[in-house]
Amino acid sequence: RSLNEAIEYLAGLDADTVGNKRLEIHVQEGDLWPRYAFTNLNPQTATVNIPATQSGQTIYIYGGYAASTHERTPLSARSVINGNHEANDITAGLYHCITVEARAKAVIDGFHITNGYAAGEASLLYGAGMLVGDGAEVTVNNCIFENNTAQEGAAIDARNAKLTMNNCVVNNNTNTDETQPLINSNALIMNHVT
């Protein structure tokens, strides 16, 4: 199953079905590319999409599970959300590697998010690594945001959302408007982020 299918399934469960269980997804190492989740026949609109859950619960998505042992070792077993897996021209990258919809609650842990391109023809020129919708609450742990390009907020755009980052690396992301931040959020908490 694809990551988007797993997220969609868990998001669709109602509160009675979920009860007090935790909505958790474990992702095996390797390159992830959401190639079938696009709109308007434009493959660059494909994204790992995280909607608000019907149950109101947070979705926890953990990367870094080794294929051979199924143990979580994110430093050696990398789960990579790659916006340009074919290594085409930079402008061929996905507009947003991850999209967290309005009012969604998510914890994203142990991913390498790379090669998003929200510049040029993108309808939203921000959030190439991750675009976070209004009122969402997102915690990002142990992740790398690298080589994403946008007009602003190239790594993460969460301008009207709550964003917490712990033990993350933000490296070599590019804003075409150099006066804008690489991480854009009105409510940002950062711990051990370089």
Side-chain angles (χ1 to χ4, degrees), residues 56-95:
Q57 297 274 16
T58 301
I59 291 182
Y60 295 80
I61 306 171
Y62 294 98
Y65 284 86
S68 58
T69 64
H70 305 291
E71 290 185 24
R72 187 158 190 258
T73 55
L75 292 177
S76 59
R78 289 186 162 218
S79 298
V80 180
I81 298 174
N82 190 341
N84 195 345
H85 78 289
E86 294 176 342
N88 289 329
D89 180 329
I90 188 173
T91 62
L94 301 179
Y95 296 147

mmCIF file of all heavy atoms in Angstrom, residues 56-95:
data_model
loop_
_atom_site.group_PDB
_atom_site.id
_atom_site.type_symbol
_atom_site.label_atom_id
_atom_site.label_comp_id
_atom_site.label_asym_id
_atom_site.label_seq_id
_atom_site.Cartn_x
_atom_site.Cartn_y
_atom_site.Cartn_z
ATOM 1 N N GLY A 56 -10.664 13.306 15.005
ATOM 2 C CA GLY A 56 -10.033 14.416 15.717
ATOM 3 C C GLY A 56 -8.678 14.067 16.301
ATOM 4 O O GLY A 56 -8.035 14.899 16.938
ATOM 5 N N GLN A 57 -8.228 12.827 16.098
ATOM 6 C CA GLN A 57 -6.948 12.358 16.639
ATOM 7 C C GLN A 57 -5.772 12.828 15.790
ATOM 8 O O GLN A 57 -5.925 13.155 14.614
ATOM 9 C CB GLN A 57 -6.927 10.823 16.672
ATOM 10 C CG GLN A 57 -7.951 10.214 17.575
ATOM 11 C CD GLN A 57 -7.455 10.099 19.007
ATOM 12 O OE1 GLN A 57 -6.479 10.716 19.390
ATOM 13 N NE2 GLN A 57 -8.151 9.312 19.790
ATOM 14 N N THR A 58 -4.608 12.811 16.380
ATOM 15 C CA THR A 58 -3.358 13.095 15.690
ATOM 16 C C THR A 58 -2.913 11.857 14.926
ATOM 17 O O THR A 58 -3.039 10.738 15.422
ATOM 18 C CB THR A 58 -2.269 13.487 16.713
ATOM 19 O OG1 THR A 58 -2.716 14.643 17.424
ATOM 20 C CG2 THR A 58 -0.940 13.761 16.056
ATOM 21 N N ILE A 59 -2.367 12.044 13.714
ATOM 22 C CA ILE A 59 -1.748 10.943 12.966
ATOM 23 C C ILE A 59 -0.241 11.013 13.200
ATOM 24 O O ILE A 59 0.371 12.069 13.029
ATOM 25 C CB ILE A 59 -2.050 11.029 11.461
ATOM 26 C CG1 ILE A 59 -3.528 10.749 11.200
ATOM 27 C CG2 ILE A 59 -1.185 10.059 10.670
ATOM 28 C CD1 ILE A 59 -3.914 10.751 9.732
ATOM 29 N N TYR A 60 0.341 9.895 13.604
ATOM 30 C CA TYR A 60 1.786 9.773 13.832
ATOM 31 C C TYR A 60 2.382 8.984 12.672
ATOM 32 O O TYR A 60 1.968 7.847 12.423
ATOM 33 C CB TYR A 60 2.067 9.038 15.145
ATOM 34 C CG TYR A 60 1.589 9.783 16.367
ATOM 35 C CD1 TYR A 60 0.247 9.745 16.751
ATOM 36 C CD2 TYR A 60 2.477 10.534 17.128
ATOM 37 C CE1 TYR A 60 -0.196 10.438 17.866
ATOM 38 C CE2 TYR A 60 2.034 11.228 18.258
ATOM 39 C CZ TYR A 60 0.695 11.175 18.616
ATOM 40 O OH TYR A 60 0.257 11.864 19.714
ATOM 41 N N ILE A 61 3.368 9.568 11.989
ATOM 42 C CA ILE A 61 3.996 8.903 10.847
ATOM 43 C C ILE A 61 5.493 8.799 11.129
ATOM 44 O O ILE A 61 6.182 9.810 11.248
ATOM 45 C CB ILE A 61 3.745 9.676 9.537
ATOM 46 C CG1 ILE A 61 2.242 9.906 9.342
ATOM 47 C CG2 ILE A 61 4.335 8.920 8.353
ATOM 48 C CD1 ILE A 61 1.901 10.843 8.204
ATOM 49 N N TYR A 62 5.962 7.557 11.272
ATOM 50 C CA TYR A 62 7.357 7.292 11.618
ATOM 51 C C TYR A 62 8.087 6.669 10.435
ATOM 52 O O TYR A 62 7.680 5.622 9.930
ATOM 53 C CB TYR A 62 7.445 6.334 12.812
ATOM 54 C CG TYR A 62 6.922 6.908 14.090
ATOM 55 C CD1 TYR A 62 5.634 6.625 14.533
ATOM 56 C CD2 TYR A 62 7.711 7.751 14.863
ATOM 57 C CE1 TYR A 62 5.140 7.169 15.712
ATOM 58 C CE2 TYR A 62 7.226 8.296 16.045
ATOM 59 C CZ TYR A 62 5.945 7.998 16.459
ATOM 60 O OH TYR A 62 5.464 8.541 17.622
ATOM 61 N N GLY A 63 9.174 7.286 10.028
ATOM 62 C CA GLY A 63 10.033 6.726 8.993
ATOM 63 C C GLY A 63 11.240 6.053 9.609
ATOM 64 O O GLY A 63 11.460 6.121 10.820
ATOM 65 N N GLY A 64 12.029 5.391 8.762
ATOM 66 C CA GLY A 64 13.295 4.831 9.208
ATOM 67 C C GLY A 64 13.258 3.399 9.675
ATOM 68 O O GLY A 64 14.089 2.980 10.471
ATOM 69 N N TYR A 65 12.316 2.612 9.161
ATOM 70 C CA TYR A 65 12.268 1.191 9.522
ATOM 71 C C TYR A 65 13.068 0.380 8.509
ATOM 72 O O TYR A 65 12.828 0.463 7.307
ATOM 73 C CB TYR A 65 10.818 0.698 9.596
ATOM 74 C CG TYR A 65 10.139 1.158 10.853
ATOM 75 C CD1 TYR A 65 9.525 2.398 10.921
ATOM 76 C CD2 TYR A 65 10.156 0.370 11.997
ATOM 77 C CE1 TYR A 65 8.932 2.845 12.096
ATOM 78 C CE2 TYR A 65 9.560 0.809 13.169
ATOM 79 C CZ TYR A 65 8.949 2.048 13.206
ATOM 80 O OH TYR A 65 8.372 2.476 14.370
ATOM 81 N N ALA A 66 14.020 -0.388 9.001
ATOM 82 C CA ALA A 66 14.884 -1.190 8.129
ATOM 83 C C ALA A 66 14.078 -2.282 7.452
ATOM 84 O O ALA A 66 13.254 -2.948 8.087
ATOM 85 C CB ALA A 66 16.019 -1.804 8.941
ATOM 86 N N ALA A 67 14.323 -2.467 6.159
ATOM 87 C CA ALA A 67 13.591 -3.477 5.385
ATOM 88 C C ALA A 67 13.906 -4.889 5.875
ATOM 89 O O ALA A 67 13.026 -5.755 5.907
ATOM 90 C CB ALA A 67 13.934 -3.350 3.905
ATOM 91 N N SER A 68 15.135 -5.133 6.271
ATOM 92 C CA SER A 68 15.543 -6.489 6.642
ATOM 93 C C SER A 68 15.122 -6.877 8.059
ATOM 94 O O SER A 68 14.721 -8.013 8.302
ATOM 95 C CB SER A 68 17.056 -6.640 6.489
ATOM 96 O OG SER A 68 17.721 -5.676 7.291
ATOM 97 N N THR A 69 15.190 -5.947 9.009
ATOM 98 C CA THR A 69 14.923 -6.290 10.407
ATOM 99 C C THR A 69 13.596 -5.733 10.927
ATOM 100 O O THR A 69 13.141 -6.145 11.986
ATOM 101 C CB THR A 69 16.035 -5.740 11.319
ATOM 102 O OG1 THR A 69 16.016 -4.302 11.241
ATOM 103 C CG2 THR A 69 17.400 -6.275 10.915
ATOM 104 N N HIS A 70 13.017 -4.784 10.214
ATOM 105 C CA HIS A 70 11.790 -4.085 10.623
ATOM 106 C C HIS A 70 11.974 -3.296 11.914
ATOM 107 O O HIS A 70 11.006 -2.917 12.551
ATOM 108 C CB HIS A 70 10.605 -5.052 10.739
ATOM 109 C CG HIS A 70 10.368 -5.824 9.489
ATOM 110 N ND1 HIS A 70 9.899 -5.239 8.340
ATOM 111 C CD2 HIS A 70 10.565 -7.122 9.203
ATOM 112 C CE1 HIS A 70 9.806 -6.153 7.392
ATOM 113 N NE2 HIS A 70 10.210 -7.298 7.891
ATOM 114 N N GLU A 71 13.229 -3.054 12.286
ATOM 115 C CA GLU A 71 13.520 -2.220 13.447
ATOM 116 C C GLU A 71 13.703 -0.780 12.991
ATOM 117 O O GLU A 71 14.142 -0.527 11.876
ATOM 118 C CB GLU A 71 14.781 -2.714 14.156
ATOM 119 C CG GLU A 71 14.578 -4.048 14.849
ATOM 120 C CD GLU A 71 15.795 -4.457 15.650
ATOM 121 O OE1 GLU A 71 16.576 -3.578 16.042
ATOM 122 O OE2 GLU A 71 15.941 -5.658 15.885
ATOM 123 N N ARG A 72 13.392 0.138 13.868
ATOM 124 C CA ARG A 72 13.505 1.548 13.521
ATOM 125 C C ARG A 72 14.921 2.041 13.771
ATOM 126 O O ARG A 72 15.379 2.108 14.906
ATOM 127 C CB ARG A 72 12.505 2.381 14.323
ATOM 128 C CG ARG A 72 12.481 3.826 13.868
ATOM 129 C CD ARG A 72 11.183 4.511 14.252
ATOM 130 N NE ARG A 72 11.125 5.797 13.592
ATOM 131 C CZ ARG A 72 11.377 6.956 14.180
ATOM 132 N NH1 ARG A 72 11.675 6.988 15.465
ATOM 133 N NH2 ARG A 72 11.315 8.073 13.498
ATOM 134 N N THR A 73 15.603 2.384 12.692
ATOM 135 C CA THR A 73 16.951 2.935 12.749
ATOM 136 C C THR A 73 17.043 4.058 11.714
ATOM 137 O O THR A 73 17.655 3.898 10.656
ATOM 138 C CB THR A 73 18.010 1.851 12.458
ATOM 139 O OG1 THR A 73 17.706 1.253 11.191
ATOM 140 C CG2 THR A 73 18.031 0.772 13.513
ATOM 141 N N PRO A 74 16.415 5.222 11.977
ATOM 142 C CA PRO A 74 16.294 6.262 10.957
ATOM 143 C C PRO A 74 17.610 6.858 10.468
ATOM 144 O O PRO A 74 17.657 7.398 9.368
ATOM 145 C CB PRO A 74 15.423 7.328 11.617
ATOM 146 C CG PRO A 74 15.461 7.044 13.065
ATOM 147 C CD PRO A 74 15.762 5.593 13.226
ATOM 148 N N LEU A 75 18.686 6.741 11.241
ATOM 149 C CA LEU A 75 19.965 7.268 10.755
ATOM 150 C C LEU A 75 20.562 6.404 9.661
ATOM 151 O O LEU A 75 21.212 6.897 8.748
ATOM 152 C CB LEU A 75 20.955 7.413 11.911
ATOM 153 C CG LEU A 75 20.610 8.490 12.926
ATOM 154 C CD1 LEU A 75 21.621 8.493 14.060
ATOM 155 C CD2 LEU A 75 20.525 9.850 12.264
ATOM 156 N N SER A 76 20.325 5.111 9.722
ATOM 157 C CA SER A 76 20.875 4.218 8.690
ATOM 158 C C SER A 76 19.818 3.724 7.701
ATOM 159 O O SER A 76 20.139 3.377 6.570
ATOM 160 C CB SER A 76 21.581 3.027 9.339
ATOM 161 O OG SER A 76 20.677 2.310 10.153
ATOM 162 N N ALA A 77 18.574 3.668 8.110
ATOM 163 C CA ALA A 77 17.485 3.209 7.229
ATOM 164 C C ALA A 77 16.631 4.427 6.892
ATOM 165 O O ALA A 77 15.624 4.699 7.523
ATOM 166 C CB ALA A 77 16.657 2.138 7.931
ATOM 167 N N ARG A 78 17.058 5.180 5.891
ATOM 168 C CA ARG A 78 16.408 6.453 5.564
ATOM 169 C C ARG A 78 15.123 6.274 4.780
ATOM 170 O O ARG A 78 15.085 5.572 3.776
ATOM 171 C CB ARG A 78 17.342 7.332 4.755
ATOM 172 C CG ARG A 78 18.471 7.855 5.573
ATOM 173 C CD ARG A 78 19.297 8.830 4.773
ATOM 174 N NE ARG A 78 20.080 9.600 5.699
ATOM 175 C CZ ARG A 78 20.334 10.874 5.557
ATOM 176 N NH1 ARG A 78 19.877 11.530 4.534
ATOM 177 N NH2 ARG A 78 21.054 11.498 6.439
ATOM 178 N N SER A 79 14.089 6.953 5.234
ATOM 179 C CA SER A 79 12.831 7.069 4.491
ATOM 180 C C SER A 79 12.848 8.459 3.862
ATOM 181 O O SER A 79 12.797 9.463 4.569
ATOM 182 C CB SER A 79 11.631 6.927 5.424
ATOM 183 O OG SER A 79 11.620 5.650 6.019
ATOM 184 N N VAL A 80 12.948 8.500 2.540
ATOM 185 C CA VAL A 80 13.147 9.755 1.815
ATOM 186 C C VAL A 80 11.892 10.103 1.023
ATOM 187 O O VAL A 80 11.453 9.321 0.180
ATOM 188 C CB VAL A 80 14.352 9.658 0.859
ATOM 189 C CG1 VAL A 80 14.554 10.972 0.115
ATOM 190 C CG2 VAL A 80 15.610 9.259 1.610
ATOM 191 N N ILE A 81 11.315 11.257 1.311
ATOM 192 C CA ILE A 81 10.215 11.781 0.492
ATOM 193 C C ILE A 81 10.878 12.715 -0.507
ATOM 194 O O ILE A 81 11.284 13.825 -0.178
ATOM 195 C CB ILE A 81 9.158 12.489 1.348
ATOM 196 C CG1 ILE A 81 8.547 11.485 2.338
ATOM 197 C CG2 ILE A 81 8.076 13.098 0.452
ATOM 198 C CD1 ILE A 81 7.592 12.086 3.328
ATOM 199 N N ASN A 82 11.023 12.203 -1.721
ATOM 200 C CA ASN A 82 11.832 12.853 -2.744
ATOM 201 C C ASN A 82 10.927 13.473 -3.802
ATOM 202 O O ASN A 82 10.251 12.777 -4.540
ATOM 203 C CB ASN A 82 12.762 11.817 -3.378
ATOM 204 C CG ASN A 82 13.802 12.435 -4.281
ATOM 205 O OD1 ASN A 82 13.664 13.571 -4.726
ATOM 206 N ND2 ASN A 82 14.848 11.682 -4.550
ATOM 207 N N GLY A 83 10.938 14.792 -3.877
ATOM 208 C CA GLY A 83 10.111 15.508 -4.839
ATOM 209 C C GLY A 83 10.582 15.414 -6.274
ATOM 210 O O GLY A 83 9.873 15.824 -7.186
ATOM 211 N N ASN A 84 11.771 14.877 -6.489
ATOM 212 C CA ASN A 84 12.303 14.770 -7.845
ATOM 213 C C ASN A 84 13.128 13.491 -7.936
ATOM 214 O O ASN A 84 14.332 13.524 -8.134
ATOM 215 C CB ASN A 84 13.141 16.003 -8.186
ATOM 216 C CG ASN A 84 13.429 16.145 -9.654
ATOM 217 O OD1 ASN A 84 13.251 15.206 -10.421
ATOM 218 N ND2 ASN A 84 13.890 17.311 -10.051
ATOM 219 N N HIS A 85 12.454 12.367 -7.791
ATOM 220 C CA HIS A 85 13.145 11.074 -7.690
ATOM 221 C C HIS A 85 13.873 10.688 -8.969
ATOM 222 O O HIS A 85 14.786 9.873 -8.944
ATOM 223 C CB HIS A 85 12.165 9.981 -7.286
ATOM 224 C CG HIS A 85 11.311 9.499 -8.407
ATOM 225 N ND1 HIS A 85 10.325 10.266 -8.940
ATOM 226 C CD2 HIS A 85 11.346 8.352 -9.109
ATOM 227 C CE1 HIS A 85 9.765 9.601 -9.935
ATOM 228 N NE2 HIS A 85 10.354 8.443 -10.050
ATOM 229 N N GLU A 86 13.489 11.241 -10.093
ATOM 230 C CA GLU A 86 14.157 10.899 -11.353
ATOM 231 C C GLU A 86 15.361 11.790 -11.620
ATOM 232 O O GLU A 86 15.998 11.675 -12.659
ATOM 233 C CB GLU A 86 13.160 10.983 -12.506
ATOM 234 C CG GLU A 86 12.065 9.936 -12.392
ATOM 235 C CD GLU A 86 11.004 10.067 -13.465
ATOM 236 O OE1 GLU A 86 10.907 11.136 -14.102
ATOM 237 O OE2 GLU A 86 10.275 9.089 -13.666
ATOM 238 N N ALA A 87 15.652 12.696 -10.687
ATOM 239 C CA ALA A 87 16.785 13.618 -10.783
ATOM 240 C C ALA A 87 16.740 14.431 -12.072
ATOM 241 O O ALA A 87 17.746 14.672 -12.715
ATOM 242 C CB ALA A 87 18.106 12.862 -10.649
ATOM 243 N N ASN A 88 15.526 14.845 -12.440
ATOM 244 C CA ASN A 88 15.368 15.721 -13.594
ATOM 245 C C ASN A 88 15.803 17.132 -13.223
ATOM 246 O O ASN A 88 16.222 17.396 -12.106
ATOM 247 C CB ASN A 88 13.894 15.745 -14.032
ATOM 248 C CG ASN A 88 13.472 14.441 -14.663
ATOM 249 O OD1 ASN A 88 14.271 13.762 -15.293
ATOM 250 N ND2 ASN A 88 12.213 14.090 -14.503
ATOM 251 N N ASP A 89 15.665 18.036 -14.165
ATOM 252 C CA ASP A 89 15.885 19.451 -13.921
ATOM 253 C C ASP A 89 15.161 19.843 -12.629
ATOM 254 O O ASP A 89 14.054 19.378 -12.365
ATOM 255 C CB ASP A 89 15.317 20.220 -15.116
ATOM 256 C CG ASP A 89 15.481 21.711 -15.009
ATOM 257 O OD1 ASP A 89 15.483 22.249 -13.887
ATOM 258 O OD2 ASP A 89 15.598 22.357 -16.058
ATOM 259 N N ILE A 90 15.752 20.703 -11.840
ATOM 260 C CA ILE A 90 15.177 21.108 -10.551
ATOM 261 C C ILE A 90 13.734 21.577 -10.684
ATOM 262 O O ILE A 90 12.905 21.344 -9.813
ATOM 263 C CB ILE A 90 16.053 22.190 -9.888
ATOM 264 C CG1 ILE A 90 15.573 22.469 -8.473
ATOM 265 C CG2 ILE A 90 16.102 23.451 -10.720
ATOM 266 C CD1 ILE A 90 16.472 23.403 -7.691
ATOM 267 N N THR A 91 13.389 22.199 -11.794
ATOM 268 C CA THR A 91 12.034 22.736 -11.976
ATOM 269 C C THR A 91 10.994 21.644 -12.183
ATOM 270 O O THR A 91 9.800 21.925 -12.187
ATOM 271 C CB THR A 91 11.982 23.712 -13.169
ATOM 272 O OG1 THR A 91 12.318 23.001 -14.363
ATOM 273 C CG2 THR A 91 12.946 24.874 -12.969
ATOM 274 N N ALA A 92 11.411 20.391 -12.317
ATOM 275 C CA ALA A 92 10.478 19.277 -12.503
ATOM 276 C C ALA A 92 10.033 18.668 -11.179
ATOM 277 O O ALA A 92 9.253 17.731 -11.161
ATOM 278 C CB ALA A 92 11.120 18.193 -13.378
ATOM 279 N N GLY A 93 10.512 19.210 -10.057
ATOM 280 C CA GLY A 93 10.160 18.657 -8.749
ATOM 281 C C GLY A 93 8.703 18.881 -8.386
ATOM 282 O O GLY A 93 8.025 19.755 -8.928
ATOM 283 N N LEU A 94 8.217 18.061 -7.433
ATOM 284 C CA LEU A 94 6.862 18.247 -6.920
ATOM 285 C C LEU A 94 6.749 19.628 -6.284
ATOM 286 O O LEU A 94 7.694 20.119 -5.676
ATOM 287 C CB LEU A 94 6.540 17.185 -5.862
ATOM 288 C CG LEU A 94 6.605 15.725 -6.281
ATOM 289 C CD1 LEU A 94 6.282 14.833 -5.096
ATOM 290 C CD2 LEU A 94 5.659 15.456 -7.437
ATOM 291 N N TYR A 95 5.577 20.230 -6.378
ATOM 292 C CA TYR A 95 5.392 21.551 -5.786
ATOM 293 C C TYR A 95 5.509 21.501 -4.260
ATOM 294 O O TYR A 95 6.096 22.387 -3.658
ATOM 295 C CB TYR A 95 4.036 22.130 -6.177
ATOM 296 C CG TYR A 95 3.880 22.399 -7.658
ATOM 297 C CD1 TYR A 95 2.643 22.261 -8.268
ATOM 298 C CD2 TYR A 95 4.961 22.791 -8.450
ATOM 299 C CE1 TYR A 95 2.485 22.518 -9.622
ATOM 300 C CE2 TYR A 95 4.808 23.041 -9.803
ATOM 301 C CZ TYR A 95 3.567 22.904 -10.395
ATOM 302 O OH TYR A 95 3.412 23.149 -11.727
#
